[in-house]
Amino acid sequence: MGHRALADRRILITGASSGIGRSLAKELAPFGPNLLLVARQRKPLEQLAEELLTRGAANALVFAGDITDPQTREAVFQQVHADWSALDLLINNAGISAHGRFVDNSESTLRQILEVNFFAATELTRLAIPMLRKGEDPLIVNVGSILGHRGIPFNSEYCASKFALRGWSEALRPELNREDIDLLLVSPGSTDTKFFDHLLSGKGSLPWAESKGIAPEEVARQIVRGIQRRRPEIFPNWRGRSLVILNRFFPRLVDRIMRRYG
Ligand SMILES: NC(=O)c1ccc[n+]([C@@H]2O[C@H](COP(=O)([O-])OP(=O)(O)OC[C@H]3O[C@@H](n4cnc5c(N)ncnc54)[C@H](OP(=O)(O)O)[C@@H]3O)[C@@H](O)[C@H]2O)c1
């Protein structure tokens, strides 16, 4: 099979109001897709939709709502059904985090992170599969993290959510293969977005200096390339990828480094 085409494709992106999701919508627009942008804040979505039309998108629709709410998820797919009757790409990108020791964070923080990063993705996917079955060359893109490969201290809730997303993605991929629905897992490392301003708790509380990370535009370019080239997983950030490789071959060494910060 050749490269995956993007022209006229019907694409739903969650977390499109900022960061990686916003950059991804902009990167996809020149290929001429139909986009449905989902996040809680309507204003930035509407501004983005206007910009996407000038960049070449065939259409750009907006759905403002909280994807942890089952009724919102149902309503999103009612809109997909009404406007498109099928879906070609589902991009589960919305995500949140918190910093701090597990013992100092609350159960509600843990549950909220799992709700956004894991359950919203699984339940949107459950609703999407019947629509993807009717789609053209269908694909699910799950935006995970390097921290779905290696746990690090002060990020336990986030790591749990991204490990869950990775395990579920791995299990789902072969199930969907028989229906010709592909799945791409994206595992970015540190990316320069507002993500760290949106933490539920523990802003600025890490015991190491955070590197600035790569630009979200670069992550978006690599995601589009991964989509076109039919990759099963991509690591957009070489530093993040190095951690995964180091951990694969020298897990005890990485354990020792992590213990120093614990
Ligand atoms: N930045 C990094 O260093 C990094 C590294 C690895 C992986 N990632 C992953 O990349 C993805 C995008 O993150 P980002 O860096 O672009 O962060 P970001 O700029 O904070 O964007 C997060 C997006 O998720 C949306 N969102 C959050 N909660 C939501 C909810 N309940 N319902 C609907 N939308 C919701 C936000 O929109 P509203 O506030 O408008 O709802 C926003 O559009 C996440 O899955 C994150 O885990 C990020």
Side-chain angles (χ1 to χ4, degrees), residues 231-249:
R231 299 277 190 254
E233 180 165 11
I234 59 164
F235 296 85
N237 179 318
W238 69 264
R239 247 197 245 206
R241 179 157 212 177
S242 315
L243 174 65
V244 175
I245 293 170
L246 187 68
N247 188 57
R248 187 173 305 153
F249 294 107

Side-chain angles (χ1 to χ4, degrees), residues 20-130:
I20 294 172
R22 186 179 174 82
S23 297
L24 185 53
K26 287 191 198 175
E27 191 66 26
L28 287 165
F31 293 97
N34 299 281
L35 293 155
L36 175 55
L37 313 168
V38 181
R40 288 166 303 180
Q41 304 169 77
R42 177 176 296 280
K43 197 88 188 276
L45 290 180
E46 286 176 344
Q47 284 165 349
L48 176 63
E50 265 178 43
E51 187 182 341
L52 295 176
L53 294 177
T54 66
R55 282 176 172 250
N59 200 355
L61 305 169
V62 158
F63 190 108
D66 184 336
I67 56 167
T68 65
D69 175 3
Q71 285 177 349
T72 299
R73 294 193 293 258
E74 289 279 352
V76 167
F77 278 92
Q78 277 162 14
Q79 183 166 340
V80 171
H81 186 71
D83 291 336
W84 296 339
S85 71
L87 183 68
D88 305 314
L89 262 84
L90 168 67
I91 303 179
N92 288 310
N93 162 75
I96 53 166
S97 187
H99 286 166
R101 289 179 189 279
F102 172 74
V103 71
D104 297 331
N105 274 337
S106 65
E107 178 181 344
S108 76
T109 299
L110 172 64
R111 288 191 186 275
Q112 183 60 14
I113 291 173
L114 265 291
E115 284 293 344
V116 179
N117 297 5
F118 182 61
F119 291 115
T122 62
E123 298 320 304
L124 283 169
T125 301
R126 201 186 302 279
L127 292 168
I129 287 171

Side-chain angles (χ1 to χ4, degrees), residues 15 17-20 40-41 66-67 93 144 158 162 188-189 191 193 198:
S17 65
S18 84
I20 294 172
R40 288 166 303 180
Q41 304 169 77
D66 184 336
I67 56 167
N93 162 75
Y158 183 73
K162 295 297 184 176
T191 307
T193 68
H198 299 154

Side-chain angles (χ1 to χ4, degrees), residues 162-226:
K162 295 297 184 176
F163 266 73
L165 189 75
R166 180 162 77 94
W168 167 71
S169 298
E170 241 174 56
L172 187 64
R173 190 183 285 115
E175 289 184 20
L176 295 178
N177 189 41
R178 62 200 315 222
E179 308 198 53
D180 291 326
I181 301 173
D182 290 337
L183 191 151
L184 164 65
L185 178 65
V186 179
S187 295
S190 193
T191 307
D192 188 15
T193 68
K194 299 269 184 231
F195 186 69
F196 300 101
D197 297 341
H198 299 154
L199 295 174
L200 294 182
S201 66
K203 292 187 180 122
S205 70
L206 292 178
W208 57 82
E210 271 290 272
S211 63
K212 192 160 171 257
I214 64 171
E217 293 80 9
E218 176 57 25
V219 175
R221 267 192 293 279
Q222 294 199 40
I223 295 176
V224 171
R225 216 176 305 142

